[in-house]
Amino acid sequence: MEANKRRKVAPWPTLLKPVEEPGNADGLGGLFDGLPAAEDHGVAAAPKSQAVPQVKKPVTTIRCLHILKKHTKSRRPTSWRERVITRTVEEATYQVKEFRKHVAAKATPKEQQAEFERLARKESDCGSAREGGSLGRFHRGQMQKPFEDAAFALEVNEMSHVVMTDSGVHIILRVE
């Protein structure tokens, strides 16, 4: 066969005897004749399925519980519990830290949430105390900035450290 004439190759296997041509690696005269096989160069086969990394959706709405202790410098130093708040910022901060320790000592998230709700009903100066400190679902822009930043930074079932706002001193437990 002449070098510049192309031989037709069937797209299916044929039972014809291979043609011996010079420079033909396997003698079949196919499209990839003369090229080395991939395994000859130590190239590993690509994995069958590559895991696609999960992209976290930005959280837009959360649900939290909180305990608020007001103090004399709160924007409204009064509550459903006390007509006039007389505790200092330091006293309010100390009380909230003690509540946090008490809740954190519980073993499971369910026990922590139950204890948090119990303490909120008994100790919180916020009107949400009647609902165990629940603020319901809220999105960004609805709460005071320090509170919002702390709440949205929490993972589900995570409790914040002390958070100071114009309303007073808080601890927050994110539940959703």
Side-chain angles (χ1 to χ4, degrees):
M1 211 185 246
E2 292 179 26
N4 54 357
K5 281 191 178 178
R6 293 197 163 220
R7 183 175 159 254
K8 290 185 180 178
V9 179
W12 56 87
T14 62
L15 300 174
L16 297 175
K17 186 176 177 181
V19 178
E20 295 293 331
E21 294 184 18
N24 191 353
D26 60 5
L28 295 175
L31 181 63
F32 298 106
D33 281 351
L35 294 177
E39 59 271 5
D40 291 345
H41 293 290
V43 177
K48 298 240 183 222
S49 65
Q50 293 179 344
V52 176
Q54 294 293 327
V55 176
K56 267 189 158 178
K57 288 184 177 180
V59 176
T60 57
T61 304
I62 60 174
R63 191 168 79 86
C64 293
L65 309 176
H66 83 127
I67 297 173
L68 167 66
K69 281 313 239 180
K70 292 185 175 186
H71 49 77
T72 55
K73 295 183 182 177
S74 296
R75 86 178 154 190
R76 274 190 20 218
T78 183
S79 78
W80 66 274
R81 298 178 67 245
E82 300 174 69
R83 190 168 194 91
V84 177
I85 305 286
T86 58
R87 80 181 63 81
T88 65
V89 176
E90 293 79 18
E91 291 169 331
T93 303
Y94 177 79
Q95 288 178 339
V96 168
K97 284 181 178 180
E98 290 300 309
F99 298 152
R100 188 182 191 291
K101 284 182 198 173
H102 192 71
V103 172
K106 299 299 177 185
T108 66
K110 190 173 182 178
E111 290 173 348
Q112 288 179 345
Q113 183 175 341
E115 183 62 18
F116 197 100
E117 289 173 353
R118 187 189 72 75
L119 278 172
R121 281 187 179 91
K122 184 179 174 191
E123 301 289 343
S124 183
D125 289 327
C126 181
S128 69
R130 291 175 188 88
E131 289 86 38
S134 177
L135 297 169
R137 291 183 174 277
F138 61 91
H139 54 83
R140 290 194 181 274
Q142 288 185 283
M143 302 291 173
Q144 293 177 39
K145 188 72 172 146
F147 186 95
E148 175 186 300
D149 291 344
F152 276 89
L154 296 172
E155 296 293 324
V156 174
N157 295 324
E158 184 181 4
M159 187 170 35
S160 72
H161 289 282
V162 173
V163 178
M164 307 286 266
T165 68
D166 292 342
S167 298
V169 184
H170 310 254
I171 52 173
I172 307 164
L173 178 66
R174 181 173 165 197
V175 291
E176 285 180 16

